[in-house]
Amino acid sequence: MILSKGDNFKESFIVTDDVYNGFIHVFGDRNPLHTDEQFAIGKGFSGKVMHGNILNGFLSYFVGECLPSKDVIIHGQEIKFPNPVYMNDRLAFEAVVSEISEAVGVAIIKFKFRNIFGKIVAKGEIQIGML
Amino acid sequence: MERIELLKSINDVFIDVLDNEDIQLTEKTSATDVEDWDSLNHIQLIVAIEKKFKIRFKSDEIRSWQNVGEMMDSIETKL
C-alpha cells in the first residue's frame, strides 16, 4: 500500500482565466451566476462565482499527478462548496489519508480547499483504489 | 450481536451500496446470486462493511469467503 493513514498533502491552485474559460468551453455551463458579473452581484456575491466543479478538476489532478504512485483510480468522491470561489482566487489545498482498507487496496482521503482568507470553499472526501 | 441481527445489518449495507431494495441475503448467498455484486462493487461492499462495524479485514480472509455466512464468521471474530 503506497499510502498510510495520516499521510498528508498540500497543493496550491489558482482559478485562472484559462481554467475558467476552458471549463466553459468544454462543458458549456454559461449560467449567469458564472458568467454575468452584475447578475452574480445581484444575488449577493462579490462577482462571478466560479463553477464548483472546476475544483473537481483540481482534485483529479491531485489524485492523478500528486500521489506517490500513478497506479490509482478514483472510486468516488463527495464534495461540498460552503463558500464561493472567484476569478483568480488562490486556493490552498490540504488532504489527509483518513482511512485505509488494506484488504481491498482502498484509501479514503479527506480534503479541504481554503481561499486566501482561510475560509473553506470546498471540502469532502475521495475514495481511491490502488491498481 | 445476534447472528440474525448481523445478517440484517449486512443486508442494509448491500441495499445501500448496490442501490437495490430487493436484496434479501441469507447465509448461503454468494456473489452469483446478487445482481451487480461484481468485483468493483465487492470493493465498495468491503469498505462499507469495514466502516459500519469499525473493523478491518485481511485480503486472505476476503478471498476465502464462499458466501455471506463466511463473511459473517469473519465479522463476528472482530466484534
Side-chain angles (χ1 to χ4, degrees):
Chain A
M1 194 79 175
I2 53 143
L3 294 170
S4 302
K5 190 171 179 178
D7 285 354
N8 61 85
F9 304 88
K10 291 188 178 178
E11 295 292 330
S12 179
F13 301 105
I14 302 176
V15 185
T16 61
D17 267 338
D18 279 352
V19 170
Y20 167 74
N21 289 323
F23 186 92
I24 289 177
H25 176 70
V26 171
F27 297 110
D29 179 0
R30 294 179 176 82
N31 182 287
L33 186 67
H34 305 307
T35 55
D36 183 336
E37 190 87 6
Q38 291 313 311
F39 178 89
I41 289 170
K43 296 294 180 189
F45 295 97
S46 305
K48 286 186 293 188
V49 177
M50 299 296 97
H51 306 73
N53 283 317
I54 286 175
L55 304 192
N56 280 328
F58 294 144
L59 278 173
S60 182
Y61 168 82
F62 164 69
V63 173
E65 300 291 337
C66 303
L67 293 177
S69 169
K70 297 284 189 277
D71 298 334
V72 291
I73 185 169
I74 296 176
H75 286 160
Q77 64 188 51
E78 289 179 13
I79 187 167
K80 294 189 188 311
F81 305 107
N83 283 294
V85 175
Y86 299 107
M87 181 69 80
N88 291 319
D89 272 1
R90 178 182 290 276
L91 305 176
F93 174 80
E94 308 156 17
V96 62
V97 178
S98 62
E99 287 176 53
I100 293 283
S101 293
E102 287 271 359
V104 284
V106 162
I108 310 285
I109 298 180
K110 292 195 171 182
F111 63 84
K112 289 174 185 165
F113 289 88
R114 294 178 192 271
N115 63 20
I116 57 166
F117 305 108
K119 269 196 169 180
I120 294 172
V121 295
K123 63 181 178 178
E125 65 177 43
I126 319 173
Q127 181 178 315
I128 291 169
M130 308 297 162
L131 299 174
Chain B
M1 185 183 285
E2 296 290 330
R3 192 92 176 162
I4 188 75
E5 197 182 337
L6 177 58
L7 181 61
K8 185 181 178 316
S9 292
I10 295 170
N11 201 78
D12 289 344
V13 172
F14 273 64
I15 286 172
D16 184 44
V17 171
L18 301 180
D19 200 21
N20 180 353
E21 294 283 341
D22 297 331
I23 289 174
Q24 286 187 318
L25 300 176
T26 70
E27 296 206 22
K28 290 189 175 156
T29 303
S30 67
T32 54
D33 302 319
V34 180
E35 193 181 352
D36 291 333
W37 187 357
D38 54 24
S39 57
L40 274 178
N41 277 323
H42 187 66
I43 291 173
Q44 303 295 354
L45 288 165
I46 297 301
V47 171
I49 288 168
E50 287 186 334
K51 198 167 190 174
K52 184 172 186 98
F53 296 104
K54 297 182 173 58
I55 57 174
R56 289 280 180 251
F57 296 115
K58 299 252 188 295
S59 50
D60 289 351
E61 64 185 321
I62 289 175
R63 277 196 290 270
S64 72
W65 299 338
Q66 299 296 316
N67 53 40
V68 169
E70 292 182 14
M71 177 193 287
M72 292 167 66
D73 295 340
S74 277
I75 294 170
E76 280 185 324
T77 65
K78 299 172 193 302
L79 295 178

